[in-house]
Amino acid sequence: MLKERFIDYLRFEKRFSPHTIKSYEHDLMQFSAYLQAQYNEEHPENALPEMIRSWMVSLLEANITSRSVNRKLSTLNSFYHFCLRSGEIELNPLKKVNAPKSSSGLPVFLDKDKMEDLFQEIHFEDTFEGCRDRTMIMLLYSTGIRRSELLGLKSQDLDLVKGTLKVLGKRNKERIIPIGSYICTQLEIYIRSKEKIMLEQALITDDLLQTNRRKVKSANYSKQRNNTDILFVTSAGRPIGARQVYDIIHKLLSQVSSQSKLSPHVLRHTFATHMLNDGADLNSIKELLGHTSLAATQVYTHNTIEKLKLIFKQAHPRA
């Protein structure tokens, strides 16, 4: 079917991440289900502009934000562009659909004093987990990498001598990020702590496999070596999960901030905003964040402008 061909195109030619592909699939399935229920139409490539408008209105009436609706329309637009190139349709029906205006919310970030409180005032337990959590949050703030990029880091991606970090970003694009001596020292401490944990797990595996089951033992050693490559692991030596990272970061940030949104991505926004406020140019921030377009990076200038407005109102007698 055409939908499956489109998803294969995203996966193998565009090389989108599994998370992005899942979002595209969900949007297409949702739209297809609506067409089937409302118009008895099974194929989204046959949709008329009025059908798309009707779906858009139903989403807005269901209190779906205009930003989310626009994202879903973007999925349809990509699908129809694929259909055009494949010769399946002659016109893109979205050309006759006006997208809803979305409010441009500014990126949420933490002030410098909050981040200073985090590293100076918050107590991290003197355990492997405490060391790991401190290292993760320091690395996220020091580099601006995404949570998915953090999860994909391997030990060999670090060059603590040169002070660099190799990151595999969206669409499998690699970039090299500089890291300072402060985070390098913390990473060295964490790596020593991790090696101790991995050694303990290997000894436990040895104890459990004292009977002469060579195949099982070989399989466990192989799995153990693969886990060792992943930089951030649990105390059991397994790669840490996305939800666990979110919970850890949220818990730590909630100790210094009362903001409702306290995700790992907030640290990415914080990194970019602090860099810009301290004089870094947009192009440099773009490269560090791994943005493909400068437009994606320019959103952080709005935070700087809003800060200037506040300073102006507070300081100028005629403000």
Side-chain angles (χ1 to χ4, degrees), residues 46-86:
N46 296 332
L48 300 173
E50 53 266 31
M51 296 177 180
I52 300 173
R53 279 194 289 267
S54 174
W55 181 55
M56 183 179 71
V57 170
S58 72
L59 292 172
L60 293 170
E61 288 178 346
N63 293 323
I64 305 297
T65 65
S66 56
R67 184 175 182 178
S68 295
V69 172
N70 277 320
R71 183 186 59 77
K72 293 176 184 295
L73 292 178
S74 177
T75 295
L76 289 188
N77 195 43
S78 297
F79 173 70
Y80 289 130
H81 275 297
F82 173 79
C83 293
L84 281 169
R85 286 193 297 270
S86 304

Side-chain angles (χ1 to χ4, degrees), residues 145-212:
I145 60 175
R146 303 175 178 92
R147 175 177 56 171
S148 59
E149 294 169 345
L150 179 90
L151 292 170
L153 287 178
K154 296 181 179 179
S155 301
Q156 55 265 36
D157 294 330
L158 288 171
D159 190 332
L160 299 181
V161 176
K162 293 182 179 178
T164 59
L165 175 69
K166 184 172 69 176
V167 174
L168 189 64
K170 288 185 176 180
R171 305 185 191 180
N172 292 326
K173 290 184 178 178
E174 278 189 3
R175 67 186 190 277
I176 304 296
I177 300 175
I179 51 178
S181 58
Y182 190 62
I183 184 64
C184 281
T185 300
Q186 180 62 34
L187 281 164
E188 287 174 350
I189 296 170
Y190 167 70
I191 289 169
R192 286 197 295 269
S193 181
K194 178 194 169 190
E195 287 172 349
K196 183 179 177 183
I197 284 290
M198 300 307 288
L199 179 60
E200 290 172 357
Q201 291 303 314
L203 291 173
I204 292 171
T205 303
D206 276 342
D207 290 341
L208 293 173
L209 299 170
Q210 283 301 319
T211 55
N212 196 23

Side-chain angles (χ1 to χ4, degrees), residues 254-269:
S254 64
Q255 296 183 59
V256 296
S257 175
S258 58
Q259 290 177 183
S260 57
K261 191 172 183 179
L262 293 171
S263 66
H265 214 71
V266 168
L267 291 171
R268 181 170 166 86
H269 294 324

Side-chain angles (χ1 to χ4, degrees), residues 21 35 37 47 89 96 139 145 174 178 192 207 214 216 220 250-251 253 259 263 279 281 296 310 319:
I21 292 170
L35 290 178
I89 61 174
K96 296 184 178 180
L139 192 61
I145 60 175
E174 278 189 3
R192 286 197 295 269
D207 290 341
R214 294 181 181 178
V216 177
N220 275 277
H250 184 274
K251 180 181 178 181
L253 293 183
Q259 290 177 183
S263 66
D281 65 275
L310 180 62

